[in-house]
Amino acid sequence: MSRALIAAAGVALLDERRPLKPDELAALAAVPDTAVPSLAALAHEVRLAWCGPEVEVEGILSAKTGGCPEDCHFCSQSASFPNQVQATPFLDTDEVLRAAEETARLGASEFCIVLAIKGPDERTMGRILELVPLVRERVGLNVAVSAGILTDDQARRFAEGGVHRYNHNLETARSHFPNIVTTHSWEERFDTCQLVRQHGMELCCGVLLGMGESVEQRLELIAELREVEPAEVPINFLNPRPGTPLAEMPLVEPLEAIRWIALFRLGLPSVILRYAGGREVTLRELQTLGMTSGINALIVGNYLTTLGRSPDEDLQMLSDLRMPIGVLSKVL
Amino acid sequence: MLRLVDDAATHCVGCGLPVGECDGRCTGVGEFEAPRHCPHCGRRLAVQVTPTGVTARCRDHGPLPPAT
């Protein structure tokens, strides 16, 4: 049964070159654990056929850490919880440039400046718009920004200011979102995603798996991502943070993580699917398998407030897999 | 990388509790965790994680020394 389902999905995605229907994806989500490697193999083939062999490498920097007024239940940077992350102000220009240079030395093509805020005020807009051309011109990296919810005018100014890609995650399905965030709505996030695309920036719209969502809600999330048409989807796995409401959640099991990496690729065949936070603690020894399950991009080095594994290990992994590092844009 | 614990440490860098009160299994300590509390007083540190490094400073005891 699983073999037939996976074969049929292969015909749809590789021969007919059409996206899977929701019921087809739901059937694949239910294959037994023993069929997950076959599912992953198909996802890898789909990634190669739709996106090519290149892997995009990115570095990220928390340029303004902690003290966030929002209550995202997974986040150690929220001021709502007794967290351990001390709030620090917006970094100096030189500090941001040094981090960009670190990123460039790792072979990355993208550098994302991230701020723990609900949305940018005028002073923050000015700082970001000052930094973007500096990083691009002095370091030669594409610059992505993650600064929360935007107005139409702010999205326009970022686009005109040279922001290559804007990150704004949906995080979880609309039906699960009120359990995770109460200080803003899923619709506000959706609206910002729309603005990003309307103003010509590439949309980076990530997910965070392992927050108590059901299988149906993960499938719902894939459908919602199809609506916002992101260029890139970072896949994060919950790494429970001390002091947050989700501190006691269990990690996603490694094979389950592989299943969902594959399903996100099969559901979103043309996107840049990026390994992001939580992969080290979730996948452990299966990180290489994820690279052949549909992933075609990764964050190297450290994350915003937690550490990643050594960049050398990731670069060696790509070399061993004979996966070239390149710059990607959405195919469709 | 920072040296998280030295002979003079009196507090857990993960949770800030005095050494002896933390059982060493607090979730703030691990291979992929940045130090969050001063090993000398337990005060929260100002921490900056960058793509290839991490710096941490205590208001009273200054920056944590890099690992040797």
Side-chain angles (χ1 to χ4, degrees), chain A residues 62 84 102 241-242 302 305 307, chain B residues 14 32-33 36 48 50-52:
Chain A
S62 177
Q84 296 180 308
E102 285 177 29
R241 299 290 79 208
N302 296 327
T305 62
L307 311 182
Chain B
F32 301 108
E33 300 292 341
R36 290 291 161 198
Q48 181 63 52
T50 67
T52 61

Side-chain angles (χ1 to χ4, degrees), chain A residues 60-62 65 83-86 88 91 99 102-103 106 239 241-242 280-281 301-309 311, chain B residues 1 13-16 26-37 43-54:
Chain A
I60 63 174
L61 175 70
S62 177
T65 301
N83 61 62
Q84 296 180 308
V85 174
Q86 176 81 38
T88 54
L91 295 179
E102 285 177 29
T103 298
L106 300 174
N239 180 0
R241 299 290 79 208
E280 287 87 352
V281 294
N302 296 327
Y303 301 103
L304 301 177
T305 62
T306 60
L307 311 182
R309 70 175 184 172
Chain B
M1 192 54 64
V13 295
C15 64
C26 67
T27 50
V29 174
E31 185 184 356
F32 301 108
E33 300 292 341
R36 290 291 161 198
H37 294 267
R43 184 185 294 280
R44 278 199 300 171
L45 297 163
V47 177
Q48 181 63 52
V49 176
T50 67
T52 61
V54 51

Side-chain angles (χ1 to χ4, degrees), chain A residues 1-170:
Chain A
M1 183 65 177
S2 300
R3 234 168 113 182
L5 284 173
I6 293 168
V11 170
L13 285 160
L14 298 170
D15 300 334
E16 299 169 8
R17 216 173 166 84
R18 67 165 174 85
L20 296 180
K21 297 170 190 161
D23 62 319
E24 292 173 316
L25 207 55
L28 292 172
V31 300
D33 286 349
T34 50
V36 168
S38 301
L39 196 67
L42 174 62
H44 183 53
E45 208 176 340
V46 167
R47 167 242 161 161
L48 291 172
W50 287 65
C51 305
E54 290 84 8
V55 175
E56 191 185 89
V57 174
E58 178 186 47
I60 63 174
L61 175 70
S62 177
K64 185 263 163 195
T65 301
C68 183
E70 303 307 287
D71 73 346
C72 307
H73 288 19
F74 53 84
C75 185
S76 64
Q77 298 196 63
S78 170
S80 304
F81 315 127
N83 61 62
Q84 296 180 308
V85 174
Q86 176 81 38
T88 54
F90 206 134
L91 295 179
D92 293 340
T93 298
D94 285 349
E95 293 172 298
V96 174
L97 286 171
R98 272 200 300 275
E101 284 160 1
E102 285 177 29
T103 298
R105 282 195 290 272
L106 300 174
S109 56
E110 192 93 13
F111 177 66
C112 188
I113 300 169
V114 184
L115 291 87
I117 52 177
K118 179 168 189 169
D121 58 18
E122 191 50 38
R123 188 170 171 215
T124 303
M125 286 293 297
R127 285 294 324 279
I128 295 170
L129 288 168
E130 170 201 332
L131 286 167
V132 169
L134 279 177
V135 171
R136 203 181 54 224
E137 286 156 22
R138 293 200 194 171
V139 190
L141 293 171
N142 286 326
V143 185
V145 169
S146 182
I149 294 166
L150 300 180
T151 64
D152 182 78
D153 186 59
Q154 287 170 334
R156 178 189 59 77
R157 289 166 66 195
F158 277 155
E160 290 174 0
V163 174
H164 172 244
R165 202 174 280 167
Y166 191 82
N167 166 260
H168 200 58
N169 293 346
L170 288 181

